[in-house]
C-alpha cells in the first residue's frame, strides 16, 4: 500500500482523494501508518479507507498536510474538537499549533472618525484600536497648506502657488488629527489647507467632501459602519464608528 500514488478516504461519509505522499508528511502519524496497514482503526473497503471520524474537520487536517500551515475560516470556533482530531491522527505538530488558539482567532478591530465643522474649517480626529491600521491610513492621508487671495471655502481648485506638505498630528500610535478649509490671514489673504487621500489624487478643501472620501476609503478597506452619532457639546462633533474582523495570518510550522 505504501507505493500507491492516489489514496481515497471516506471520513464520516465525506470522500477525500489525495496523494500518498501528502499523507506521509509525518511518518509517525496514524495516516502514514495506515498506508502500510499498520493501524486497524482504518478499514479498507472497496479500495477506500473508511474512518469513523468527523469529515468536516478532516478537511482542515488535509489542508494542513498540503500547506503545512493552519488557515481557518473567520467564523471557525471548534478549536478544541479539531485539536482532538489532530491528536487522534497522531499529528502532534498540528495539535501544538491549535493549542495557540489565541493566535488563530480573528480579532475585532474598531475605528472611530470624529468630524466637526467650524465656520470655514473642518476638523478630523481618527482613533483606531489597531496601531498598524492607523499607521497605514496616515500614510494615505496628506495635508497641504497654501496662502491664497480672494478664495474661500468652496474654491474647487488650489491656487497655482506652491503648496507646502504638512505633517499629520499624531497624539499617539492609535490616533491622528488633521484639518482642512480656509482661515483669514491678513487683508484678502486666506490660509488654505487641502487634504488628499490615496489612491485618489484630488486635493480637497471642503470638509464634507473630505469626510465622504474618507468614509468611502474605509468601507473599501473592509470596515463596516456600525453607528453614527452627534457628540454633545458646542462643537457638535459627529462621530462615525466602524468595525472590521481582522483575520490572522495562518500559523506555519
Amino acid at each position: 500500500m505504501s507505493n500507491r500514488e492516489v489514496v481515497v478516504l471516506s471520513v464520516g461519509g465525506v470522500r477525500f482523494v489525495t496523494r500518498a505522499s501528502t499523507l506521509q508528511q509525518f511518518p509517525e502519524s496514524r495516516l502514514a501508518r495506515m498506508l502500510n496497514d499498520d493501524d486497524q482503526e482504518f478499514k479498507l473497503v472497496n479500495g477506500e479507507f473508511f474512518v469513523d471520524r468527523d469529515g468536516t474537520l478532516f478537511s482542515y487536517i488535509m489542508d494542513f498536510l498540503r500547506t503545512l500551515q493552519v488557515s481557518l475560516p473567520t467564523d471557525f470556533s471548534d478549536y478544541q474538537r479539531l485539536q482532538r482530531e489532530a491528536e487522534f491522527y497522531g499529528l502532534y505538530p498540528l495539535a501544538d499549533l491549535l493549542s495557540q488558539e489565541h493566535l488563530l482567532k480573528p480579532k475585532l478591530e474598531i475605528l472611530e472618525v470624529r468630524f466637526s465643522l467650524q465656520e470655514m474649517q473642518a476638523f478630523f480626529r481618527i482613533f483606531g484600536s489597531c496601531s498598524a491600521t492607523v499607521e497605514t491610513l496616515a500614510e494615505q492621508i496628506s495635508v497641504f497648506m497654501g496662502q491664497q487671495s480672494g478664495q474661500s471655502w468652496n474654491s474647487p481648485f488650489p491656487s497655482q502657488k506652491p503648496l507646502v506638505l504638512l505633517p499629520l498630528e499624531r497624539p499617539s500610535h492609535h490616533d491622528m488629527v488633521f484639518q482642512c478649509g480656509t482661515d483669514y490671514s491678513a487683508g484678502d489673504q486666506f490660509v488654505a489647507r487641502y487634504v488628499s487621500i490615496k489612491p485618489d489624487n484630488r486635493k480637497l478643501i471642503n470638509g464634507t467632501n473630505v469626510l465622504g472620501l474618507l468614509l468611502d476609503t474605509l468601507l473599501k478597506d473592509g470596515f463596516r459602519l456600525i453607528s453614527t452619532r452627534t457628540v454633545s457639546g458646542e462643537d457638535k462633533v459627529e462621530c462615525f464608528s466602524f468595525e472590521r474582523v481582522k483575520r490572522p495570518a495562518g500559523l506555519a510550522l
Side-chain angles (χ1 to χ4, degrees), residues 60-78:
Y60 302 121
I61 289 175
M62 285 302 308
D63 183 66
F64 170 76
L65 291 173
R66 289 164 175 153
T67 65
L68 297 183
Q69 68 176 16
V70 184
S71 299
L72 300 173
T74 302
D75 59 350
F76 185 82
S77 61
D78 289 335

Side-chain angles (χ1 to χ4, degrees), residues 3 23 36 69-70 72 79 90 97 113 128 137 150 157-158 190 193-194 197 217 220 246:
N3 295 322
L23 299 175
N36 296 317
Q69 68 176 16
V70 184
L72 300 173
Y79 294 93
L97 289 177
V113 176
L137 191 58
F157 302 106
F190 289 89
R193 286 183 174 85
Y194 299 87
I197 304 177
T217 300
K220 289 180 179 178
K246 190 175 183 182

Side-chain angles (χ1 to χ4, degrees), residues 38-55:
D38 288 342
D39 197 315
Q40 296 303 312
E41 187 73 31
F42 304 91
K43 305 296 184 182
L44 187 60
V45 180
N46 296 326
E48 298 183 8
F49 286 100
F50 174 77
V51 191
D52 191 16
R53 302 294 293 192
D54 191 304

